[in-house]
């Protein structure tokens, strides 16, 4: 009825209430909106703590995010990067990408730190090295279409885009679920798997 999407309404709220250049406060403001106004499928604070812990443990210099959505996960990842690190984030929906771009820049992250790439992941991944300069990723955060998880993991493998000892962090593998991805990760012999128990966002 308003002529604007949920994502745009959430951004307007963040714009009005969050402190520019303060990533933590921007995430908190998103959380307030999602708890009290409208639900968005952002990572949220509960699962966000798992992401923060992995970032702290791994200190990755090259991070790839599949599924930018509104930029919540991107800001969460970017604020935990070690100095000199770079984050590449891919979003297939141009409308979501337009909101995410504003959120990322509002949080204070430049294009040198966070590069937002708009396009289907299956088309972008093969071009990451030549077109965007990503030699390989130390950490991959998957939070896009669950049915694309396995396909995109295999694309990353076939294009040698995973650094030795890379960490793949995949959201919602149990619900709504990515059973083929989970089976492959557990049985292919390339990965050590761990399932983090968490509640659904908000």
């Amino acid at each position: 009825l308003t002529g604007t999407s949920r994502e745009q309404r959430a951004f307007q709220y963040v714009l009005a209430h969050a402190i520019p250049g303060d990533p933590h406060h921007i995430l908190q403001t998103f959380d307030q909106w999602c708890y009290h106004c409208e639900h968005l499928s952002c990572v949220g604070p509960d699962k966000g703590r798992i992401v923060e812990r992995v970032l702290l443990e791994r200190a990755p210099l090259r991070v790839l995010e599949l599924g930018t959505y509104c930029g919540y996960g991107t800001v969460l990842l970017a604020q935990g990067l070690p100095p000199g690190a770079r984050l590449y984030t891919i979003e297939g929906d141009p409308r979501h990408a337009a909101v995410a771009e504003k959120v990322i820049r509002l949080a204070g992250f430049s294009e040198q730190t966070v590069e937002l790439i708009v396009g289907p992941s299956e088309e972008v991944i093969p071009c990451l090295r030549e077109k965007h300069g990503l030699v390989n990723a130390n950490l991959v955060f998957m939070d896009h279409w669950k049915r694309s998880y396995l396909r995109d993991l295999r694309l990353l493998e076939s294009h040698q885009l995973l650094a030795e000892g890379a960490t793949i962090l995949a959201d919602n593998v149990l619900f709504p679920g990515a059973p083929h991805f989970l089976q492959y990760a557990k049985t292919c012999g390339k990965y050590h798997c761990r399932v983090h128990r968490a509640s659904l966002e908000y």
Side-chain angles (χ1 to χ4, degrees):
L1 290 173
T2 64
T4 60
S5 66
R6 275 190 304 176
E7 294 78 19
Q8 288 171 316
R9 290 194 292 274
F11 173 69
Q12 290 303 323
Y13 180 83
V14 169
L15 195 59
H17 296 90
I19 302 166
D22 185 336
H24 183 67
H25 195 256
I26 282 168
L27 294 178
Q28 280 186 323
T29 309
F30 256 115
D31 293 336
Q32 286 294 112
W33 173 266
C34 293
Y35 277 123
H36 302 295
C37 300
E38 293 180 279
H39 178 270
L40 295 175
S41 54
C42 302
V43 178
D46 183 26
K47 291 187 284 188
R49 283 187 283 273
I50 297 169
V51 176
E52 288 171 333
R53 192 169 71 241
V54 171
L55 281 167
L56 199 61
E57 288 170 2
R58 303 293 181 190
L61 287 175
R62 295 173 305 278
V63 178
L64 174 63
E65 179 186 32
L66 302 179
T68 318
Y69 189 40
C70 289
Y72 183 106
T74 315
V75 171
L76 180 70
L77 289 164
Q79 73 169 356
L81 292 176
R86 187 163 168 77
L87 168 59
Y88 302 80
T89 181
I90 301 171
E91 174 52 51
D93 188 325
R95 294 164 303 174
H96 293 164
V99 172
E101 181 80 46
K102 293 173 193 166
V103 170
I104 294 161
R105 306 310 166 209
L106 184 68
F109 299 109
S110 69
E111 289 184 17
Q112 280 68 48
T113 304
V114 179
E115 182 179 349
L116 173 58
I117 305 161
V118 184
S121 55
E122 71 271 22
E123 292 177 16
V124 173
I125 289 170
C127 305
L128 280 172
R129 183 175 286 115
E130 287 180 15
K131 200 170 176 184
H132 302 279
L134 175 60
V135 178
N136 52 38
N138 308 111
L139 173 68
V140 178
F141 181 48
M142 293 186 167
D143 196 15
H144 57 324
W145 293 107
K146 313 313 159 204
R147 63 175 179 268
S148 304
Y149 279 17
L150 178 56
R151 180 201 67 200
D152 287 353
L153 177 59
R154 300 191 83 152
L155 268 176
L156 289 167
E157 290 174 348
S158 64
H159 287 86
Q160 285 92 48
L161 285 165
L162 298 174
E164 191 176 342
T167 300
I168 316 288
L169 195 56
D171 194 16
N172 300 118
V173 292
L174 298 180
F175 183 85
H180 300 300
F181 165 84
L182 211 51
Q183 184 183 22
Y184 176 76
K186 285 179 176 177
T187 60
C188 72
K190 299 174 188 176
Y191 305 100
H192 299 287
C193 290
R194 180 181 170 195
V195 175
H196 300 269
R197 300 282 171 177
S199 61
L200 284 175
E201 55 278 345
Y202 310 113

